Amino acid sequence: MINILKHRDENLVRLYKYFLPYKGKIAVASIFLIATALTSSATATLLGKLTDVSFYQGGSWLVFALPAALIAVTLVFAISTVLSAYIMSQISQSVLVTLRKELFNSVLHWPESQYQKVSTGLISSKFVNESTIALSGAADSVTVMIRDTVQIIGLLCVLFWHDWILTLVTFVIGPALFIVLRLLSRKVKVVVKQSQETLGNMISRIQESYEAERIVKINDSYDFEDERFSKVNMRIRRLALKTNILQGLPTPLTQILTMVAVAFVVAVALIEAQGGALTFGQFVTFLSALLLIKAPVQHLAGLNSTFASISVAAKSIFDVIDAKPELDTGKKELKEIHQGIAFEDVHLRYPGQDADALKGISFTVKKGESIALVGQSGSGKTSIVNLLPRFLEVTGGKITIDGIDIRDYTLESLRSQISLVSQDVFLFEDTIKNNITYGVRSSVTEEEINAVIDAADLRGLVQSLPKGTDTSVGEGGKLLSGGQRQRISIARAILKKALIIILDEATSALDSKSENEVKKALKNLTRGKISITVAHRLSTIEDCNRIYVISDGKIKEEGTHPSLFAKNGIYTKLCKMQEI
């Protein structure tokens, strides 16, 4: 383990440090690994002794004792191998749990910009593929380094004991072996990295096609999707074959170089045996040790390509873990709102863009007021509301609550006072009850749950289901209609008891009947709160205290519905388009 930590690859060093808390278990596993390794030396020695006894001491009691000893050595090998494998598996799985937990925690705390850069397929691959490669490879390499190193040392002792000059001859293969394995290791790193990236792309492709199955069917795009998938699939095949070849080369190359040395040594040993310098039993011991040393040498030689694969996988994992989380430097706690919210000359520019998406946005919302943001698609309405819970960060100006910059509040306390109901409702694959109580599950009573079910106009739905609120909503809420999903989302928002309500196109995807049912629930949700509504359907915002018309990232008009309609401006045109 010390040798590992001295390795110059920082990703390997960091990965193996995760094993340090389990050094006690590793020590126990090492005892069994050493026992496994020493059985090789014992086997070689016993075979030689058995040969000498058979040829030179025919009546000796050792004729029975030595075979029994061979069986005992084999039993030691079997038991110690199973126990060491079990302990190392325990350790690797424990480390894997820790790594995946750190991965998941890091992803949850990513800023919005990071989510936009990385596909779900690539992230899924890190949890499923890279983490498994890294940990299984790391655990196996620890096993190989301990067991095979001891095995080689033990067998070398046997060889040196019998003929140290011949044994030294075998070391001539070392430099050649080192050069070959070094070159292969570099190649493996490149190919493994490409394989992991391509596997992530394949997962993304599968997920995309699965979620878009209706679009695929309605457009009869089966051949197109097959072709796209086949390209990725065949690339994975090519890279996998390349990886397997590169990772498989060390074994035959080591075999060839080792056997050349072994053949030379055996030839010399045979000459010595024929001349009487070695007994037949000593020759058998020497030959057995030479043949037994070949496998651990191959295993250790193969570690170069193993380390290359582990290093690439570890880097991929640590890149995610080390990604910067959301900026959360605030110290103040938001518990009450006495005055309201103010946007003060707010600007927003998305990463990689040359122009601002929002330009000098300024408005206020007092406690108990409701405002609406309207405008054409892409005008900047949703960008404005995404700034309030700090999903996005302002690039100019500031947003304040009760005169305090929202960046001075902790993210937890700021978001605890904001409820969001959007057009794209997301429900977890769980029960209706658990979806309603998501985020506040441990602190609510049955009475409160029943109250929000009534307030969100869900009572009819719940009573119509055999399991009531314990009914599963299916993956993404697919077992429910759009209106039902929306009302569950509203019930969740009501239960949160937040002081600020954001309604982002909350009814735009609903039919008239569902919209009327949801509007009743929304009134219960927004009563007495600060509410900001983003709407395309202007009929839903006529009762708002103020309406802001957004165009090209700026506020072009503001006022109540009657005053804006009378101006005969942008708002009037929008109303006429919807026949209001």
Side-chain angles (χ1 to χ4, degrees), residues 471-500:
T471 301
S472 174
V473 301
E475 184 181 0
K478 287 183 178 179
L479 299 180
L480 303 176
S481 69
Q484 291 167 342
R485 291 196 297 270
Q486 195 67 276
R487 278 176 279 154
I488 289 174
S489 175
I490 292 168
R492 181 193 297 165
I494 296 172
L495 192 60
K496 189 176 180 182
K497 300 177 182 177
L499 302 174
I500 302 167

Side-chain angles (χ1 to χ4, degrees), residues 59-211:
S60 173
W61 62 272
L62 290 173
V63 172
F64 301 100
L66 289 174
L70 276 175
I71 294 172
V73 167
T74 305
L75 287 173
V76 170
F77 171 82
I79 294 169
S80 57
T81 299
V82 169
L83 290 174
S84 62
Y86 176 72
I87 295 170
M88 290 307 299
S89 178
Q90 274 191 327
I91 295 168
S92 66
Q93 289 303 312
S94 297
V95 175
L96 185 58
V97 167
T98 302
L99 264 184
R100 283 178 174 158
K101 184 177 180 182
E102 289 186 15
L103 270 171
F104 190 69
N105 187 60
S106 176
V107 171
L108 284 181
H109 289 85
W110 273 359
E112 190 76 16
S113 57
Q114 190 70 12
Y115 284 107
Q116 294 168 358
K117 291 178 186 175
V118 185
S119 70
T120 54
L122 288 174
I123 287 299
S124 300
S125 178
K126 294 180 194 299
F127 279 92
V128 178
N129 184 48
E130 277 100 307
S131 57
T132 303
I133 289 174
L135 266 300
S136 61
D140 290 344
S141 65
V142 171
T143 298
V144 168
M145 280 186 291
I146 296 172
R147 181 195 62 206
D148 293 87
T149 301
V150 173
Q151 192 173 356
I152 289 171
I153 292 170
L155 290 168
L156 282 174
C157 288
V158 173
L159 291 169
F160 270 104
W161 178 261
H162 285 81
D163 196 323
W164 65 271
I165 296 175
L166 281 178
T167 304
L168 287 176
V169 174
T170 61
F171 284 91
V172 299
I173 66 169
L177 195 59
F178 175 80
I179 293 169
V180 170
L181 296 176
R182 183 80 173 169
L183 292 172
L184 286 174
S185 175
R186 291 175 181 172
K187 293 274 189 184
V188 168
K189 270 192 176 184
V190 174
V191 177
V192 168
K193 184 179 181 182
Q194 292 174 344
S195 297
Q196 291 174 356
E197 290 174 351
T198 308
L199 183 61
N201 291 334
M202 185 181 76
I203 295 172
S204 294
R205 181 71 61 233
I206 294 169
Q207 184 174 7
E208 190 175 68
S209 300
Y210 184 81
E211 292 177 352

Side-chain angles (χ1 to χ4, degrees), residues 11 24 111 147 161-162 188 198 203 222 229 241 248 307 313 345 354 362 378 425 431 456 458 494 527 559:
N11 294 306
R147 181 195 62 206
W161 178 261
H162 285 81
V188 168
T198 308
I203 295 172
Y222 303 107
F229 180 78
L241 289 173
F307 282 143
D345 193 29
D354 297 326
S362 297
V425 177
T431 64
L458 281 169
I494 296 172
R527 189 176 293 116

Side-chain angles (χ1 to χ4, degrees), residues 105-106 109-111 321-328 411:
N105 187 60
S106 176
H109 289 85
W110 273 359
I321 292 175
D322 295 338
K324 290 184 179 180
E326 292 180 292
L327 192 63
D328 187 12
L411 276 177

